[in-house]
C-alpha cells in the first residue's frame, strides 16, 4: 500500500511539471558599442600617434597627427590671395594717389604738345603740297601723324578723368565679392588643416588605429575608431511571434560569453522593419522566419569594461 502511494505521488509531480509554463525564450545576439569612425581628411602620411588601442580618451583629445606641410603651403597661398584682394579693394575705395594724378596730367600735357607739333607739320606739308613741292604721300603721312596725336590726347584725357572722378560702384562691388571669395577659400583650407590633427569628437575608448606612423591612408579612410557611450548594448534578434509583446524599457537579463553572471539590461529600441534570421540565431522552426533587431542597453556598472563582439543570450527578467 505504501508503494502505491509513492507511485501516485510521483505521477502527480510529473504531471504538474508537464503542466507548468514553458521556459522564457532566449534571444541570441552580440554585445556592441556605439562606434565612431574618424576619416582622413587628406591623403597625408601619419606623423605621430598620441594614443594606443584600448586607451580611454576625452572629448577633444588629440589622437594622431597627419603631415600638414602640403596644406600649410596651400594655406599660405590662400592668405596671400586674401591680402592681394584687400589691397585692390583699398585702392579702389581710396582712389588714385597724388603721384598717379601728376603722372596722368604730365602724360596729357605731353600728348597735347605732340598734337600741336603734328598739326604744324601737317599744315606745312599741306602748303607745300598745294604748290606741288612735295609728294602726295608725304602729305598723307603728316595727316596720319596728326590724327595719331589727336588720339593720344583723347586717351590721356580719359585716363585723367578716370583718376579724377574716382571708382565706379560696380568696380568696388566686384572687388568686395572677389575678397569674400578669397576669404572663403582660405577658411576652407584652414578648416581642412585643423582636421589633420585628428581629435576625439566624444569621450570613449580607442577600438582601432589601423595606420601606423609613416603609413599614408587614402582620403576618407578610417584612421581611428572609437567606442562611445555610457554602456554597451546587446544586439539581439526577436522572432515575429514575440515582437508584439515587447515594450520600451522592458527589463532583461543578458549573459555574455565568458561572463559568469547575468547583466541587467533594458530594451532601448526594436527595429520597425524585419530582417532575415542571422546565421547564429538559426534554431528550430525560427530558421526560416523573419526576426526584428532589438537593442538591450546594459545597466550594470561593470558592463563598461566589456569588449564588443561577445556572443550574448538574453531573456526577460522575472
Amino acid at each position: 500500500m505504501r508503494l502505491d502511494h509513492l507511485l501516485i505521488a510521483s505521477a502527480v509531480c510529473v504531471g504538474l511539471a508537464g503542466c507548468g509554463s514553458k521556459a522564457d525564450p532566449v534571444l541570441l545576439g552580440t554585445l556592441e558599442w556605439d562606434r565612431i569612425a574618424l576619416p582622413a581628411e587628406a591623403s597625408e602620411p601619419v606623423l605621430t600617434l598620441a594614443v594606443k588601442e584600448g586607451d580611454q580618451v576625452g572629448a577633444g583629445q588629440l589622437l594622431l597627427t597627419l603631415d600638414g606641410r602640403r596644406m600649410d603651403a596651400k594655406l599660405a597661398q590662400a592668405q596671400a590671395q586674401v591680402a592681394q584682394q584687400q589691397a585692390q579693394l583699398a585702392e579702389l575705395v581710396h582712389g588714385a594717389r597724388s603721384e598717379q594724378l601728376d603722372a596722368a596730367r604730365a602724360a596729357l600735357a605731353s600728348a597735347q604738345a605732340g598734337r600741336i607739333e603734328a598739326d604744324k607739320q601737317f599744315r606745312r606739308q599741306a602748303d607745300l603740297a598745294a604748290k606741288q613741292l612735295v609728294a602726295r604721300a608725304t602729305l598723307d603721312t603728316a595727316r596720319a601723324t596728326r590724327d595719331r596725336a589727336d588720339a593720344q590726347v583723347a586717351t590721356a584725357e580719359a585716363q585723367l578723368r578716370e583718376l579724377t572722378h574716382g571708382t565706379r560702384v560696380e568696380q568696388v562691388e566686384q572687388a568686395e565679392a572677389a575678397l569674400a571669395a578669397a576669404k572663403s577659400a582660405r577658411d576652407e583650407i584652414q578648416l581642412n588643416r585643423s582636421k589633420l590633427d585628428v581629435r576625439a569628437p566624444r569621450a570613449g575608448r580607442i577600438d582601432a588605429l589601423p595606420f601606423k606612423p609613416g603609413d599614408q591612408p587614402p582620403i576618407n579612410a578610417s584612421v581611428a575608431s572609437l567606442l562611445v557611450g555610457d554602456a554597451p548594448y546587446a544586439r539581439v534578434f526577436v522572432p515575429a511571434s514575440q515582437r508584439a509583446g515587447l515594450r520600451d524599457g522592458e527589463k532583461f537579463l543578458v549573459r555574455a560569453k565568458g561572463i559568469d553572471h547575468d547583466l541587467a539590461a533594458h530594451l532601448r529600441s526594436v527595429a520597425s522593419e524585419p530582417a532575415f534570421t542571422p546565421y547564429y540565431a538559426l534554431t528550430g522552426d525560427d530558421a526560416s522566419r523573419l526576426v526584428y533587431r532589438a537593442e538591450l542597453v546594459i545597466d550594470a556598472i561593470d558592463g563598461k569594461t566589456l569588449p564588443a563582439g561577445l556572443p550574448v543570450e538574453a531573456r526577460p527578467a522575472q
Side-chain angles (χ1 to χ4, degrees):
M1 189 69 177
R2 184 177 180 83
L3 181 58
D4 292 337
H5 287 168
L6 290 175
L7 293 175
I8 294 173
S10 299
V12 170
C13 290
V14 172
L16 291 175
C19 295
S21 61
K22 295 182 179 179
D24 292 325
V26 175
L27 305 179
L28 304 179
T30 56
L31 193 70
E32 303 292 344
W33 285 83
D34 291 329
R35 187 183 302 270
I36 295 178
L38 303 179
E41 295 292 331
S43 181
E44 300 292 351
V46 176
L47 288 183
T48 59
L49 294 177
V51 294
K52 61 182 182 297
E53 294 179 356
D55 284 354
Q56 291 286 341
V57 297
Q61 182 174 337
L62 179 65
L63 306 182
L64 59 93
T65 301
L66 301 178
D67 191 351
R69 290 176 294 177
R70 194 192 314 270
M71 199 68 70
D72 289 339
K74 292 182 179 180
L75 180 59
Q77 182 180 6
Q79 289 173 337
Q81 185 68 23
V82 170
Q84 180 182 3
Q85 295 296 335
Q86 287 175 332
Q88 291 179 353
L89 177 61
E91 180 181 2
L92 292 174
V93 171
H94 298 151
R97 297 175 55 181
S98 60
E99 295 84 353
Q100 290 177 300
L101 291 173
D102 292 341
R105 293 190 182 99
L108 176 59
S110 176
Q112 290 173 336
R115 181 179 62 179
I116 293 173
E117 178 63 24
D119 186 66
K120 289 180 179 180
Q121 288 291 339
F122 173 73
R123 293 179 183 276
R124 188 178 300 112
Q125 295 299 328
D127 291 340
L128 293 174
K131 298 176 182 180
Q132 297 184 350
L133 297 177
V134 296
R136 188 70 179 179
T138 303
L139 178 61
D140 292 340
T141 301
R143 182 183 291 109
T145 302
R146 183 198 62 180
D147 294 343
R148 189 161 48 248
D150 289 340
Q152 291 175 347
V153 169
T155 300
E157 287 176 342
Q159 291 176 346
L160 181 59
R161 283 196 303 270
E162 181 180 4
L163 294 175
T164 304
H165 295 163
T167 306
R168 295 179 59 181
V169 175
E170 295 83 356
Q171 290 177 299
V172 175
E173 291 176 349
Q174 289 177 359
E176 290 175 343
L179 177 59
K183 287 183 176 180
S184 296
R186 178 202 60 189
D187 294 344
E188 181 182 5
I189 294 176
Q190 284 180 333
L191 178 61
N192 292 336
R193 174 63 181 86
S194 66
K195 290 185 177 181
L196 295 183
D197 295 331
V198 181
R199 299 181 179 276
R202 292 175 56 185
R205 185 168 75 249
I206 301 296
D207 180 55
L209 295 169
F211 297 98
K212 306 305 178 186
D215 293 343
Q216 185 167 347
I219 189 170
N220 293 328
S222 176
V223 294
S225 178
L226 274 71
L227 303 180
V228 299
D230 296 330
Y233 63 91
R235 178 184 294 161
V236 297
F237 295 87
V238 181
S241 59
Q242 303 173 32
R243 170 66 180 85
L246 294 181
R247 298 291 182 270
D248 289 347
E250 185 174 343
K251 302 298 183 180
F252 280 82
L253 294 177
V254 175
R255 176 66 64 91
K257 188 72 171 179
I259 306 299
D260 59 359
H261 61 278
D262 291 335
L263 302 173
H266 67 274
L267 179 63
R268 176 168 66 181
S269 63
V270 181
S272 59
E273 296 292 334
F276 286 100
T277 310
Y279 71 93
Y280 51 77
L282 298 179
T283 57
D285 295 337
D286 290 334
S288 61
R289 298 177 183 175
L290 295 177
V291 293
Y292 294 81
R293 188 180 66 185
E295 295 180 357
L296 310 176
V297 179
I298 304 300
D299 298 324
I301 297 178
D302 57 358
K304 294 183 178 181
T305 62
L306 295 177
L310 289 179
V312 298
E313 297 178 357
R315 63 183 184 278
Q318 298 299 331

